[in-house]
Amino acid sequence: MKISSLPDTAISLTIASLAATLIIPPAAAEPFQDPYPPSVHVAPGDNAPPTPKPAETLTSHQSPSPLAPDAVTADWPHLLGANYNLTTPESPLQTTYPESGPPLVWEVARGAGFAPPVIKYPFLVHIFRAGPNTEAVECLHPETGHRYWRHEYNTEHITNFGIDDSARASPTIDGECVYTLGVNSVLHCFQLSSGHIFWSRDLKSEFTTPHNFFGQGASPLVHKNLVILNLGGRDNLTVVAFDKKSGETQWAARHTWGASYASPIPASFHGKDRILVFAGGESRPPHGGLLVIDPADGSILSSTPWRAEMYASVNAASPVLVGENQAFISEAYTQGGALLEFNADNSTNIIWKAPRFGAQFSTPVLFQDHLYGFDGSSSPGATFVCYDAATGTEKWRDQKLQVGRANLLAASAPGVFFCLGEHGEFLTLKPQPDSAKILAQAQLFNAPDTFSPPVLSHGLLFIVQGRPDTKTNTTPRLLCYDLRPPAD
């Protein structure tokens, strides 16, 4: 989920408890009766996938290179990738390209939005604003951009801080299902291959979810039999879990910290399943922090306050798992980052703090025992930084690389980052002891608010242009580039 910059002129409110850690004893979540359990609609017939066909929004450019015989490939089924760490094992990959960028395979014109696509080969799903009061979910073939299916539904869009609402929560694929959470809290469970709707819920009506600054923005997390949402509903219903097959509410975790724009991630601490929710959205006074939840029943096992001391701020970068029983959290306005350690008795320690590592919405990446990310809440001004993950020591701060609040994708086999800048810059970076060497650089387009992280699957790179191009007036698009090495 990606949000735009919040005003720097917001009222500053000091909260002395932000830097402290509040430990609460484990307690089962309160029983919660589902207000509107949905009906499940059985898929008709054998529901064989339809033959994908070119749509009027598709422009085809060229076929991708064939995959190498020894190619390592991976799906990208949810936000942050298969292992929730923005890292891919794919190889081989083309890491250099001309100034025009990697070969463009296809592009699809679409409405505005900041949610990156998800992929379970041979299906790609993305969500976007299709009209003034319409949202769309579309399923495409990753190699051709041909459409399997498309579903549109009515939803309310609001303008806040001069910024129009548009989809921010990435879809999540699990098995034969794909789950989408719209900007106005409409939750769908689609059959991935056909677009058949198994069940859906209007959570704004059912749970009285607030609009917050820009609507819903945290992606659904599917964990075992649950779909877990950082929902922020009435009566402090901060996190709610639904049965992934029936859509019925399984538990609700109550806390005063509301929904943020940071997506939940799964973790295992001391051999036990945990869910990490970096909560905290629009509130007066501002409050939020990291919740550690037992997915078995929704018990909140610990809560660590970590939120900016200003109203116009949110927590938006997802937690990053670091080492054993540790996670890094970060916000961009006043607190910066911190490494937390989670103990067997459910207590939490702050190992180190990094006031100058403030990630606004782009989740940092752990790569070769170092944390990399972009510090800052404005562009220009955001700075590429590298920290020693064990000690919190800043290793370097690259003032020369001016790409705004960029997103990183780590490719472990070639040992590089693919970096998507805030205005459409695309770079391949090689980490070095004192900076990151630029191996290749291209300007793919000139669009502000390029906040979606790049996605890589089966040697193909997928990038969201969420706003019109300021030079060519090109509409928002989903673009597919070829990173497969050319055939001999």
Side-chain angles (χ1 to χ4, degrees):
M1 169 352 282
K2 304 294 165 269
I3 66 169
S4 60
S5 176
L6 297 174
D8 293 330
T9 56
I11 299 173
S12 177
L13 298 173
T14 301
I15 302 177
S17 61
L18 277 172
T21 300
L22 173 62
I23 305 303
I24 62 173
E30 298 178 29
F32 184 81
Q33 184 174 358
D34 197 324
Y36 301 100
S39 298
V40 178
H41 305 283
V42 178
D46 60 7
N47 253 316
T51 300
K53 298 179 179 180
E56 66 283 356
T57 56
L58 172 68
T59 301
S60 299
H61 294 278
Q62 66 181 67
S63 298
S65 298
L67 282 168
D70 59 346
V72 175
T73 61
D75 290 330
W76 196 277
H78 38 65
L79 186 71
L80 309 180
N83 295 312
Y84 300 94
N85 60 1
L86 288 169
T87 300
T88 179
E90 294 216 0
S91 69
L93 295 171
Q94 193 77 4
T95 58
T96 60
Y97 35 83
E99 292 184 359
S100 58
L104 181 58
V105 178
W106 55 260
E107 59 183 280
V108 168
R110 41 163 267 178
F114 304 100
V118 292
I119 298 165
K120 181 182 178 182
Y121 202 84
F123 302 103
L124 174 152
V125 182
H126 63 137
I127 182 173
F128 52 92
R129 180 175 179 172
N133 293 294
T134 309
E135 205 161 49
V137 179
E138 193 172 58
C139 182
L140 310 175
H141 193 288
E143 288 200 2
T144 64
H146 291 185
R147 182 191 293 168
Y148 287 103
W149 54 265
R150 175 183 173 119
H151 176 73
E152 292 189 13
Y153 55 94
N154 293 331
T155 192
E156 182 183 14
H157 290 102
I158 298 173
T159 299
N160 203 2
F161 290 104
I163 300 168
D164 293 335
D165 282 350
S166 53
R168 284 168 161 77
S170 178
T172 297
I173 297 174
D174 178 74
E176 66 172 357
C177 295
V178 57
Y179 302 88
T180 64
L181 180 64
V183 73
N184 212 30
S185 301
V186 176
L187 177 64
H188 280 104
C189 173
F190 296 98
Q191 184 172 48
L192 177 61
S193 59
S194 70
H196 170 79
I197 299 175
F198 287 121
W199 53 265
S200 64
R201 304 192 63 151
D202 182 350
L203 301 178
K204 182 175 182 179
S205 297
E206 298 171 9
F207 289 85
T208 321
T209 58
H211 181 265
N212 286 320
F213 290 110
F214 308 112
Q216 285 288 353
S219 301
L221 169 64
V222 177
H223 181 75
K224 295 184 178 179
N225 66 317
L226 301 175
V227 180
I228 301 172
L229 301 180
N230 181 198
L231 191 62
R234 67 176 186 276
D235 302 326
N236 296 328
L237 295 174
T238 296
V239 184
V240 181
F242 304 92
D243 184 279
K244 70 179 184 181
K245 293 185 177 180
S246 70
E248 295 182 2
T249 304
Q250 298 301 292
W251 51 254
R254 299 179 188 270
H255 200 284
T256 56
W257 299 342
S260 71
Y261 290 89
S263 298
I265 66 167
S268 178
F269 295 149
H270 303 282
K272 297 180 179 179
D273 283 350
R274 299 292 182 250
I275 303 299
L276 305 187
V277 179
F278 196 29
E282 184 174 6
S283 62
R284 290 187 186 274
H287 53 194
L290 187 69
L291 302 175
V292 179
I293 295 175
D294 185 343
D297 61 3
S299 302
I300 298 177
L301 304 176
S302 71
S303 56
T304 304
W306 199 262
R307 172 69 188 277
E309 300 171 3
M310 56 187 291
Y311 163 70
S313 70
V314 294
N315 289 333
S318 292
V320 180
L321 296 179
V322 178
E324 188 173 355
N325 308 315
Q326 295 180 337
F328 178 73
I329 56 175
S330 184
E331 67 79 38
Y333 296 94
T334 60
Q335 299 297 312
L339 182 70
L340 309 181
E341 184 174 52
F342 307 95
N343 304 313
D345 63 357
N346 296 315
S347 61
T348 305
N349 302 325
I350 296 179
I351 303 301
W352 51 259
K353 299 180 183 179
R356 299 182 70 215
F357 194 166
Q360 188 182 20
F361 50 75
S362 55
T363 298
V365 177
L366 178 68
F367 190 68
Q368 297 175 350
D369 300 322
H370 290 77
L371 283 162
Y372 296 85
F374 287 83
D375 168 51
S377 61
S378 64
S379 177
T383 306
F384 191 25
V385 297
C386 170
Y387 276 67
D388 185 297
T391 65
T393 303
E394 182 178 299
K395 304 301 289 186
W396 47 259
R397 178 172 294 266
D398 192 339
Q399 302 285 359
K400 295 180 180 180
L401 185 64
Q402 293 295 313
V403 290
R405 293 157 293 182
N407 280 281
L408 297 172
L409 188 161
S412 56
V416 300
F417 293 124
F418 294 112
C419 174
L420 181 61
E422 186 172 345
H423 296 89
E425 309 93 339
F426 183 68
L427 307 90
T428 304
L429 304 171
K430 182 73 172 180
Q432 297 186 132
D434 58 348
S435 64
K437 181 182 179 181
I438 299 176
L439 301 182
Q441 183 172 3
Q443 188 74 42
L444 302 182
F445 46 79
N446 293 275
D449 303 342
T450 301
F451 294 150
S452 301
V455 168
L456 182 64
S457 180
H458 288 73
L460 300 178
L461 175 76
F462 301 91
I463 287 178
V464 170
Q465 177 194 322
R467 299 288 195 203
D469 191 302
T470 57
K471 292 187 176 181
T472 65
N473 205 32
T474 306
T475 61
R477 299 173 292 167
L478 173 64
L479 303 111
C480 172
Y481 295 91
D482 188 5
L483 291 186
R484 299 173 181 175
D488 295 333

